[in-house]
Every structure is written in structure tokens, then in C-alpha cells.
Amino acid sequence: MSKMPIRLTVNGVPHEVAVEPRRSLADTLRDECGLTGTHLGCEHGVCGACTVLLEGEPVRACLLFGVQADGRAVRTVEGLAAADGTLDPLQRAFWENHGLQCGFCTPGFLMLATWMLEQPEPVDEARLRHVLSSNLCRCTGYQNILKSVRAAAQALGKWTEVAPVR
Amino acid sequence: MNWTGRRLPRTEDPALLRGEGAFTADLAAGARAVRFLRSPFAAGRILSIAAPDLPPGALLVTGADLEGVGAIRPELFRFNYRAIAQPVLPRERVHFVGQPIAAVVAATPEEAEDIAEAVLLDIEPEEAVVTIEDALRPGAPTLHAEAPGNVVVDGTIRHPDCEAAFARADRIVEFSLRSGRQNATPLEARAGLAAHDRATGRIRLTASCQMPHMLRTGIAALLGMAEADLQVVAPDVGGGFGQKMALFPEYPLLVWLARRHRGSFCWIEDRNENLIASAHSRDQIHHLRAAFAADGTLLGLEADILANTGAFSCYPTTCGVEPLMALAEYPGPYRLPTYSARARALATHTCPAAPYRGVSRPVVTFGLERLMDRAAAALGLDPVALRRRNLVTEFPHVTPTGLTLDQASYVEALDRAVEAADIPAFRARQEAARREGRYLGLGLAVFNERTGYGTPAFAARGMGIVPGYEVVDIAMTPAGEVEVRIGASPHGQGLRTALAQLAADRLGLDPSRIRVIHGDTDRTPYGWGSFASRGAVIAGGATQLAADKLAARLRRAAARLLQAEPDSVTLRDGAAWAGEASIPLTEIARRVHQRSEQLSDLGGFNLAETASYDPGGTFSNACHVAEVEVDAETGHVRILRFLVVEDAGRLLNPLIADGQVHGGVAQGIANALLEEVLYAPDGNPLTGSLADYLPPSAAEIPHIEIIHMETESPETLTGAKGLGEGGAIGAPAAIANAISDALSPFGVDIAELPATPARIRALIRNAR
């Protein structure tokens, strides 16, 4: 099958690659851009392990084609830590609170939570659980993932004990 | 400095958090893609497999190509086991939907899928045997000629005085229960990458597996190749929960391809394959009959255990693993004077069964704990008091199946749980809710969990391959770091951190100076893996032994260098001390390696040791409490509270221990309410996606409260008992009891899991 040239920016770095139109964004990131931190758990949009941010919005990279990212900006887990490897506050919260076990779902949860913490609205318990129920984890029972994101939200001044008025 | 017992964040995590982990699929660049063609029929005769015109470089491999390749045929020398064989690729018959029957190789996964879809499979379907009832039906088709009546394992235990116990019983409680079929569903599905090394002629198989050494042994035997020419690597592994223990046919096929075609071949399983064709578990029916005295004393138990173990027998545990564990461990934590049981493994045209977190114990605990509640109701006794009356309180205690229960806290854990649950307050809430037409329920599950068992336990099952021991090689580098090479192979349990904590204390060294190396048959001693809640106990025990031996060597060298007696030397803060005098361990390491002439009188001295550990096993225990609300109109169950009182002995790292409990409970909740592999009557799987098979999300899993007790085991070196499986064992029973309690006004008894809304509605309807 013929390939289409696309340009996308991943974590601020421009990439020019050629992909088959049927190749998913996840495979494009993994195989063409060499960024294997985005994991594939189900390839049918349920588990969320492949969650990345496309133009700032969380998406399932398995449900988009690579060509749909042409001319657009993608953020993946590889873009969270500093260039020297220093973890960002969310990653650090996951580390300190044992928010991961096997680590396979972790990139998806990190991107989903990164998006949530960048939104203007504060995060309360209900929103935390609601948003994070988008993704599946098989190891942690979610408790320490919730705890990690809660801790990061508190550290970033995004946490509220009271539900915001919508 | 005491490192053991601290909530130390894991050394595993930073790379995983940066997305820099190395899972099998992350290493596949440059490899050719392999796609398996899988049987669309549960049973049938292969007439032909016709290849389309293959593009250059593509391959189609069928069973006919695998001349000389053996079949997977694990052995069990007891319990009337019939050794049945699973071909790597079948030539004559297919035995379940999803069974690999051919492999396509192409440059990319997409291309391989295109070719696979164009292959013409001509299979003549035959009548399928799908359920336990199907398998037992007189005249049912037989899957394997070696196993007449589809019975692959038939074990019995008969105590002659059992009948007498029933004769003098005041009350006999009898019922059947059914456990739905589950898939362990690790978030990373299976994956394998076999690469031929032209310089050495060796093959390296990188695979998402739990037992790399066993996989190497099994594949080398199947292919008739030198085991030394095969390296198996378990890189980062995205969960396993037992599913990734087995030797699956896909892996020897990858190694065969790499050898035959002198290249790299990669298979990344998709979720549909994993759901229908990896391994299933827990598809069981138990019939229980128990004799009680009027005061609630349990007098005797009879159990008939039936396990649907699918089309083949998993290697190395065999399909006996589920029924025989239930047979041996049904007495649980209770004083049981007499016991008779029969346990059978039945072959069906379904995906083969393999161990899954807890193996049979979630079903056994479901049975025993429903029994306790049913007996209490039948006798008009308080269910907590009934349990307390029958729990073992004196240790060691020998069960009617010959297992020795070591020091534990069965009654104490129950009491702590009952106190924390505040049952009187709950009963008041329950009463108030019922007046409003709402149904609250509270359920308990008390259980013990045999953990950390070595070869004696596996040998008692009569296994042809007896796992159990672990070996640890330990050495100090010339720069003074310590390398701990373990045969076990963790996949998320944090052993790299916990074992470093253990070794750090023995060596007086900071854990950051210790590297735990695992998951590579070239770099680690022969060992078994992470399964059966054994890492902290067995790999931990071997690490402790090895570290002690290395510490003795360091003390000996220090004594020589400080001119002191070895017995007077202690190791702490990265140095060896004799009174006021000290020498850094880094300096000892440097001298031993680079200035060995200073230690020449010690004779060929080095800083390497090895230790092996093979314990008899221990029992951890727990009490789970679930509080639920059942919507009687919809059958929906909401968990209001979940409490775990867990006693896993000494906790090496409580942060990790809590995580294991959380994760286990979540899987147990899924077992109780959500997850079920379903087949149509013709053997076609109905749950081939995560839209049909339902692992829980954060919306379904409540906050889990944990209270730890730490009864140290005299049976383990580290004092730790295993706890990896416990969460999954207790939760289904506690929730089944809670739902039954909630719906007691309807007279509903939960006897089948998962308790889906449809099942609960049917029970309420039928009760009305």
C-alpha cells in the first residue's frame, strides 16, 4: 500500500515521515517516530494505554490514523520529563505514591492526568474518578493512581475539596 | 539503618514513568512480523490450508512444515492424569476457536494480516464440547483418545470416617456453586521476538513471560535444539497474573522461524487473540455437602470439584493445577475433622486453562464462605460466631489433606475486621435502608492462602516438572556495587526494590548500591519465576542467604585488612567495622579485585556467592469485608465499603504490599461482578473485545481499606509470607456474601459468579 508523507510535531520536535493511510497514530508514533512510550493495550479504544494529547486534547492514538495528525502537534509521555530525565511533578507523584506496578498503562494515565491538570477548572474527588475511569489498569486497583494524581493536583494548586459549580 | 520494612519508592519506576521502559513490542524494530491464523471452529478436521500468491519475502508456515517439532505434553504422575498433547501447529484437527493453525510472515504487521486474510482454510466442522455438562454427557465427543470421557485428571481423597460424621450431624448443608470463566487480562498481551545471532548461531527469544528459564527448557526440548543455544529474555513485562507462565505454541514457532530463516521474527498479540486464545481460568462447578453439630461445629465436608480446563493441558503446571489445588486446599483455615473429595479436570473445545491469580482459591473461598453463611442461617447462629468456632487457633495444625498450617492469625484477623466493620452500626443502617426499599448487605470472607511453597508442594502433585526452589548469585563489583542475579522473574511486583532492601540490611549498604538483575537466562541462575505468591518468600529467602554469605566474605577480608578477628567485624553504613577501626566496602572490593596479593593468604579469595532456597511453604491469611447496596429493580451492585485485614507476615516494603492487595481486590471484584468469558453453544467465543469482557475501571473499584497484621512465619527465612494473590481470593466470596445478605428478604443465595445484574434479577424474580 502506498505511503503518504506527513509532518507532525511531537513534543515540540518536528517529524517528517511517510505512512500508509491505514496506519494508526499509535503505530506512527511508535514505529516511524521511534517513540515507544505510547503503549497499545487493546487497539480498539477501550483501555486508553495509548492516550496522547493531540492539539492539547486527550485522544486514543489507536483510534486515529497517523495521517490525521498531519500538520498537528502531539504530546506523548516522552515529553513530560525534563531533557536530563528529571521527572515532572505528576510523574514524581506517581513514583512516590506507587501509582504504577507493571507500568504498561502508565503512559496513558499520565497523559490523561496531564490534560486534566492543565484545564482551568479545579479537580475534586468526583472529577478525578470520572476522568481517570477513561483508562484501564490491571495492576493497581486504581487506588494509588488516584492518590498520585490527587497529590499532584494538590501540589499544583489544582485540588478542591468542594465540587465546582458547573 | 533498617531498609527492610520501609515504604521505599521503587527503583523500577523512573524509566517506566518516562516512557522509557522496554516491553517486547518496543524492541521489535527491524524484525519481520508474524501473524497467526487461528481456527474459526471449536472442533473440526483440517482438509487443506491453501496459500494465496505470496509476495516476495512472505512466508506461510503450517503444521506440515514442522517436521520433527515435538508437541507440548506436560506430565503429571498422579491423580489419573492422562497426558494429552498440543501440537505447535496442528495437522489434522482443530480443538478450539483461536487455536493457531498457521503463521504468516511479512515485512509489516499490516501486510501479514492482509496475507492471513487471503489464506483459504478448509476445515470440516465437528460437534463441539463446550461446557462441563457437555463434557460429562454420555456419548459426548471425545477430544483426546488418551482421555476417555474427556476426563484428564481424576483425583480423590477419601476419609473413612467421613460418612460417620454425616450420620451424627445435626444439620447437613448442601449446595452447588458455579464460577464463570475468566481471562487474567494483563494490559500488555503476549508478545515474542525471536532473533538469530549470526556470529554465534544462537537465538534470543524476548518474550512477555513469567518463567523465562522454564520457557527456554521447554522450547529447546520441543525443537530438539541445544538449550545453551537459546537465550530467553523477559524484558519489562506488562502484567501476567499467571497467564504468562505457560509455554504457548506461538513461542516455539517464533524460535523455529528464527533458526530456519536466520532472522528476526516478532509476534505482538492483539487483544482479541489474548481474550480468546491465550489462557482462561476459574471455569468450575463445585458441589459441597457439609455436616454440622447444632452448636455450629463443622464435623465433615464432602466436595465434588469439576473444572473445565479447555482443549489442552498447560505446560508446566498441567490442567491439574485448578482441580488439584481445590482438592488439597478446600479445608481452608477451618478445623475440619474429616474430608472426602473428588476433583476432575475436563477437556472441552475451549481455550486451555492456566493459572490465574489465586488459581482455584477464589472459587474455594466462595464455596467455603457461602457455606459458613448458609450454615449459620440454617442453624440460627451468628455467622461470625460460627466462623470463630471453627477457625484453627493452634499451630502448627495439620489439615485433613496433610498440609501443615504455620503460625497465623485467623481468629484475630476476623476479630479486627468485625471491629473495624462495626457490624451493629451497619445492621442499623441496613434496617433503615430496608424501610426505604433499599437493600444493603455486608459479607465476610475469611481465608488462608498457601504461599511461598517450594518443590515439596509441587512434587506432591506428581508434576513431571517440579518447580519451587530459587537460586541467587550475588557478587560485589571492583567499584563496590552489589549485583544480585535472581532466577525469579518479576513483572510489576517490585522485586528489584524489595530484594535490594533485604540485601542492603545484610550488607550494611545503601540499596541504591544494589542492582537486582532478572529476566535473562544468560545473566541469571536457573530459577522459576514470579507466581504463587512466592517472590518475597523464596527469591527473598535466597537473596538473604546469598547476601549473608557475601557479608561473611566481606567480614573475612575486612578482618585481614584491619587485622581483627572476623567475628568482631560488623558491616554498617557502607563500611566494615572492628571497634573504632573501619574500612569502606568500596576499598575492600577494590583490594580483593585489584590488589589481591594483599589477601593472598586467604587463597583464591573473591566476592561472589550463590545461594539456593527451597522452603516448604507458609500460609498467609486475611479477612475481607464488603458492604454493598443492591438495586433490586436493576440487579446492579454498588460496593459501599471494602475492608481488608491482611496478615502476610513481615512486610518487606509496605508500599508495595498495599499495591498488591489493591490490585488483587480489584481483580476479585471483577470476578464477583463483571468479568466472564462466554461461549456460544457451538464453541464460538462471545467475549472477544474489551467491550464484551469487562475489566473494571476506576468507576467500579471503591476505596480499599487495609489493616495489616504481621504474624511472622517461622517457616520462611525473611519472616514474610506471600500476598500477591490474596486480594483476588477473598473479594469474590465477601461480595457474594454481601449480596446474599442484602437480598435475604427475597431469600436469594448467590451461587454463581459473576453476579451480573441479569443473574441477580433472575434470582429475585424466581424467588418472588
Side-chain angles (χ1 to χ4, degrees):
Chain A
M1 198 174 275
S2 64
K3 293 186 175 182
M4 282 176 63
I6 59 169
R7 290 177 183 200
L8 67 168
T9 304
V10 188
N11 303 324
V13 177
H15 287 259
E16 290 188 32
V17 297
V19 291
E20 288 185 15
R22 63 177 173 174
R23 177 150 274 211
S24 72
L25 176 59
D27 284 341
T28 302
L29 291 167
R30 291 177 54 83
D31 299 340
E32 316 300 333
C33 303
L35 296 167
T36 55
T38 298
H39 295 155
L40 288 162
C42 72
E43 294 176 280
H44 53 267
V46 177
C47 80
C50 65
T51 301
V52 298
L53 304 188
L54 180 67
E55 297 294 343
E57 293 293 316
V59 295
R60 307 290 211 225
C62 73
L63 293 185
L64 283 164
F65 294 114
V67 294
Q68 289 176 281
D70 189 18
R72 303 171 84 180
V74 181
R75 285 166 65 196
T76 70
V77 67
E78 286 93 344
L80 296 181
D84 68 355
T86 304
L87 302 180
D88 82 356
L90 179 66
Q91 290 170 312
R92 177 155 282 279
F94 268 71
W95 191 17
E96 288 167 355
N97 293 289
H98 192 29
L100 66 158
Q101 290 182 29
C102 81
F104 195 81
C105 73
T106 310
F109 273 101
L110 287 172
M111 298 318 291
L112 182 64
T114 293
W115 168 79
M116 183 176 71
L117 296 175
E118 287 177 356
Q119 299 312 296
E121 63 197 290
V123 179
D124 65 359
E125 197 61 42
R127 177 164 168 80
L128 175 74
R129 206 173 264 275
H130 175 70
V131 171
L132 294 189
S133 68
S134 308
N135 286 12
L136 295 180
C137 167
R138 194 57 166 168
C139 295
T140 65
Y142 303 102
Q143 190 149 324
N144 285 344
I145 293 179
L146 295 164
K147 189 176 175 191
S148 302
V149 180
R150 199 181 292 122
Q154 285 163 350
L156 295 166
K158 302 290 291 190
W159 184 255
T160 175
E161 296 294 339
V162 189
V165 181
R166 296 176 198 226
Chain B
M1 182 68 96
N2 239 347
W3 290 101
T4 310
R6 290 171 63 171
R7 302 174 71 88
L8 198 65
R10 308 188 316 167
T11 53
E12 286 88 342
D13 293 354
L16 294 168
L17 286 162
R18 288 191 291 255
E20 294 170 350
F23 296 88
T24 299
D26 304 339
L27 305 166
R32 294 159 83 185
V34 177
R35 177 78 185 172
F36 286 94
L37 260 88
R38 297 182 179 277
S39 175
F41 297 110
R45 212 155 57 82
I46 300 172
L47 301 178
S48 70
I49 303 173
D53 289 335
L54 293 173
L59 298 167
L60 174 73
V61 181
T62 69
D65 297 309
L66 303 182
E67 196 62 53
V69 174
I72 300 168
R73 190 174 174 277
E75 279 284 4
L76 199 61
F77 300 114
R78 286 189 67 188
F79 304 112
N80 301 299
Y81 180 71
R82 311 292 178 181
I84 55 178
Q86 177 177 20
V88 171
L89 296 175
R91 292 202 208 179
E92 290 165 15
R93 280 199 149 73
V94 294
H95 282 88
F96 69 97
V97 173
Q99 181 180 4
I101 45 182
V104 170
V105 177
T108 67
E110 291 94 335
E111 204 183 315
E113 285 187 43
D114 289 345
I115 297 169
E117 281 183 13
V119 173
L120 284 175
L121 290 176
D122 194 359
I123 296 175
E124 184 177 86
E126 297 176 322
E127 188 189 345
V129 170
V130 180
T131 63
I132 287 172
E133 291 83 353
D134 288 350
L136 288 175
R137 202 181 66 239
T142 302
L143 268 84
H144 303 279
E146 301 87 342
N150 297 314
V151 179
V152 189
V153 169
D154 191 351
T156 48
I157 289 175
R158 288 253 167 271
H159 282 213
D161 46 354
C162 206
E163 280 174 31
F166 280 86
R168 69 169 191 279
D170 294 313
R171 191 88 196 199
I172 292 172
V173 180
E174 186 169 4
F175 62 100
S176 292
L177 58 102
R178 180 186 281 268
S179 163
R181 181 178 276 241
Q182 269 192 288
N183 182 305
T185 322
L187 210 63
E188 181 203 26
R190 296 177 295 164
L193 166 66
H196 174 259
D197 180 48
R198 294 200 175 174
T200 61
R202 298 178 81 219
I203 307 293
R204 182 176 63 240
L205 174 68
T206 305
S208 186
C209 68
Q210 290 178 238
M211 301 174 82
H213 289 279
M214 187 283 307
L215 196 56
R216 178 193 191 213
T217 301
I219 292 172
L222 285 174
L223 300 185
M225 67 184 286
E227 193 163 338
D229 289 339
L230 178 62
Q231 174 191 9
V232 176
V233 175
D236 282 321
V237 172
F241 316 113
Q243 185 181 88
K244 293 177 181 171
M245 287 167 68
L247 166 57
F248 294 103
E250 288 87 352
Y251 295 130
L253 196 277
L254 290 173
V255 175
W256 182 88
L257 278 168
R259 289 183 85 208
R260 168 64 66 95
H261 298 282
R262 305 176 83 238
S264 297
F265 297 85
C266 189
W267 163 63
I268 309 299
E269 183 178 58
D270 67 30
R271 185 54 60 185
N272 175 252
E273 291 178 286
N274 184 267
L275 284 168
I276 69 170
S278 56
H280 294 165
S281 41
R282 310 226 209 292
D283 187 346
Q284 299 185 17
I285 295 173
H286 296 183
H287 186 79
L288 297 182
R289 189 164 170 263
F292 285 89
D295 65 0
T297 305
L298 178 60
L299 303 174
L301 177 69
E302 289 176 355
D304 187 16
I305 297 147
L306 295 165
N308 181 346
T309 55
F312 299 108
S313 187
C314 64
Y315 177 108
T317 60
T318 81
C319 64
V321 65
E322 282 202 356
L324 296 179
M325 181 182 282
L327 182 75
E329 299 184 23
Y330 231 114
Y334 294 106
R335 220 179 295 113
L336 180 60
T338 175
Y339 172 64
S340 287
R342 180 181 186 190
R344 281 169 282 179
L346 302 170
T348 62
H349 291 110
T350 60
C351 178
Y356 169 36
R357 200 173 200 164
V359 188
S360 275
R361 286 163 298 192
V363 192
V364 165
T365 304
F366 174 36
L368 266 185
E369 292 303 285
R370 283 303 300 135
L371 173 64
M372 291 298 148
D373 275 11
R374 280 171 172 258
L379 292 161
L381 298 171
D382 169 45
V384 173
L386 184 93
R387 285 178 172 83
R388 208 180 271 127
R389 171 175 288 279
N390 289 297
L391 285 169
V392 172
T393 51
E394 287 176 24
F395 305 95
H397 171 89
V398 180
T399 73
T401 59
L403 303 179
T404 302
L405 306 184
D406 58 336
Q407 197 68 38
S409 58
Y410 304 147
V411 169
E412 295 82 354
L414 171 63
D415 287 345
R416 286 285 292 275
V418 165
E419 188 195 334
D422 195 354
I423 293 179
F426 170 78
R427 292 293 172 214
R429 284 201 301 282
Q430 184 180 40
E431 263 312 307
R434 276 184 191 166
R435 283 195 295 271
E436 298 168 10
R438 290 165 50 230
Y439 297 93
L440 306 188
L442 183 140
L444 292 171
V446 180
F447 64 96
N448 63 359
E449 178 196 359
R450 190 184 192 192
T451 63
Y453 41 100
T455 53
F458 291 102
R461 283 187 206 157
M463 288 171 70
I465 298 164
V466 180
Y469 57 84
E470 287 296 347
V471 178
V472 167
D473 289 344
I474 195 167
M476 188 171 267
T477 67
E481 304 93 13
V482 170
E483 293 180 323
V484 181
R485 298 165 188 274
I486 66 172
S489 189
H491 41 283
Q493 298 92 339
L495 274 192
R496 253 187 258 170
T497 306
L499 299 186
Q501 288 176 268
L502 268 178
D505 282 341
R506 314 307 279 201
L507 294 164
L509 204 58
D510 191 282
S512 67
R513 306 276 294 164
I514 297 170
R515 307 281 185 275
V516 176
I517 296 163
H518 58 76
D520 184 341
T521 59
D522 272 10
R523 298 197 299 153
T524 62
Y526 202 87
W528 293 97
S530 296
F531 55 93
S533 303
R534 64 200 298 279
V537 178
I538 309 184
T543 298
Q544 187 167 309
L545 283 174
D548 283 346
K549 288 167 90 173
L550 177 61
R553 282 186 172 261
L554 289 165
R555 278 199 298 272
R556 218 170 130 214
R560 180 72 191 74
L561 296 168
L562 297 172
Q563 303 197 331
E565 287 301 312
D567 289 348
S568 72
V569 176
T570 56
L571 305 179
R572 64 173 193 276
D573 303 331
W577 297 77
E580 297 289 294
S582 75
I583 180 168
L585 297 185
T586 49
E587 183 59 18
I588 298 176
R590 192 185 69 78
R591 300 240 201 138
V592 168
H593 288 92
Q594 293 168 358
R595 298 300 307 271
S596 59
E597 86 282 0
Q598 296 177 1
L599 296 151
S600 58
D601 57 327
L602 295 180
F605 190 78
N606 64 28
L607 292 177
E609 276 290 359
T610 192
S612 175
Y613 186 46
D614 186 15
T618 175
F619 285 81
S620 56
N621 64 275
C623 179
H624 289 198
V625 185
E627 213 180 294
V628 304
E629 177 166 356
V630 184
D631 184 329
E633 298 303 316
T634 65
H636 179 258
V637 176
R638 194 156 65 94
I639 301 172
L640 305 173
R641 187 178 181 195
F642 204 97
L643 169 71
V644 176
V645 178
E646 165 82 49
D647 190 342
R650 180 182 178 217
L651 299 178
L652 307 186
N653 181 328
L655 189 67
I656 292 174
D658 285 351
Q660 289 292 313
V661 174
H662 297 156
V665 167
Q667 293 183 9
I669 288 171
N671 185 356
L673 299 175
L674 292 165
E675 291 178 18
E676 186 173 19
V677 173
L678 295 170
Y679 279 96
D682 66 357
N684 253 298
L686 301 173
T687 42
S689 81
L690 293 182
D692 305 304
Y693 188 80
L694 302 174
S697 77
E700 289 82 37
I701 301 301
H703 182 80
I704 297 156
E705 301 164 55
I706 303 174
I707 297 172
H708 285 295
M709 300 177 71
E710 295 194 57
T711 305
E712 292 201 13
S713 172
E715 299 299 320
T716 78
L717 276 180
T718 59
K721 301 175 171 188
L723 89 167
E725 297 167 282
I729 294 172
I735 292 168
N737 281 344
I739 298 171
S740 302
D741 179 47
L743 299 180
S744 57
F746 300 98
V748 160
D749 263 313
I750 298 297
E752 182 172 11
L753 293 180
T756 58
R759 287 201 175 110
I760 289 174
R761 278 297 308 151
L763 287 168
I764 293 173
R765 252 193 327 271
N766 294 340
R768 272 169 172 164

